[in-house]
Amino acid sequence: MNSEAITIRRGGPADLPAVLAILDSAVVWLNGRGITAQWGTDPFTTRPATVELVERVVTEGSPWIAEVDGVPAGTLTLTPHPGTHVPPAAEPERYVRFLATDGRFHGLGVGAALLAHAAEETRREGVSLLRVDCFAGSEGRLVAYYERQGFTRTDPFTVGEWPGQVLEMRV
């Protein structure tokens, strides 16, 4: 399947169940590959504080849903600032939050399509900086993924035992 089969639409608060289902599926997919430190082993929907955070980000930000044949396959939300664990940039920015692909659609380019769309949206809004942070463990595989999508590493950080990496892209 190629990216022509992926459509991206603006989401909204009504898409919260689909966003949470995608995030839950991503946890299962990660755990199936032995990656338990990134998003844990419990589904997002079983963690009330996490559900509340996702709902707040989706409601306050600009959620986007990637669909394959009309089925929600991936999501991300763009916000004008990072989460609480990363300081905001010294200039206007858009920040990628909760990028995830439903496990059934891995390998189809859903994440890449969403990130390309995020770059286009950021540019369209007249903002030149797009940032994201991610899990830096698991031999840095996710960091390398973002680098393949055109992002550059900036600041590493740690939340408790969780290693993170901020990356940026000029658009």
Side-chain angles (χ1 to χ4, degrees):
M1 187 172 290
N2 56 37
S3 62
E4 282 83 42
I6 299 168
T7 57
I8 299 175
R9 66 171 174 81
R10 180 73 180 256
D15 289 300
L16 184 63
V19 170
L20 288 167
I22 291 166
L23 291 166
D24 281 353
S25 175
V27 169
V28 171
W29 187 88
L30 289 165
N31 289 183
R33 278 139 195 86
I35 303 168
T36 57
Q38 181 175 332
W39 278 350
T41 56
D42 296 328
F44 274 57
T45 52
T46 65
R47 298 180 268 161
T50 303
V51 169
E52 190 176 299
L53 174 63
V54 172
E55 183 174 16
R56 188 170 61 252
V57 169
V58 165
T59 301
E60 293 173 359
S62 299
W64 296 94
I65 307 293
E67 295 179 337
V68 174
D69 296 327
V71 178
T75 185
L76 68 71
T77 298
L78 284 175
T79 61
H81 52 76
T84 57
H85 52 276
V86 172
E91 65 181 275
E93 68 178 314
R94 291 297 173 267
Y95 212 91
V96 173
R97 309 279 301 275
F98 296 115
L99 171 66
T101 299
D102 183 300
R104 298 171 294 169
F105 298 97
H106 266 269
L108 301 181
V110 171
L114 280 163
L115 289 169
H117 183 80
E120 290 169 20
E121 265 310 294
T122 300
R123 192 177 309 111
R124 189 186 65 72
E125 292 176 6
V127 176
S128 63
L129 179 63
L130 178 63
R131 293 198 307 157
V132 64
D133 64 72
C134 70
F135 180 62
S138 296
E139 295 84 49
R141 289 189 294 249
L142 190 52
V143 174
Y145 170 79
Y146 282 111
E147 289 175 326
R148 289 191 304 276
Q149 304 308 314
F151 286 84
T152 304
R153 293 178 204 215
T154 59
D155 304 312
F157 65 96
T158 306
V159 177
E161 299 287 314
W162 195 89
Q165 177 68 53
V166 179
L167 299 100
E168 70 178 25
M169 174 191 290
R170 290 285 168 185
V171 299

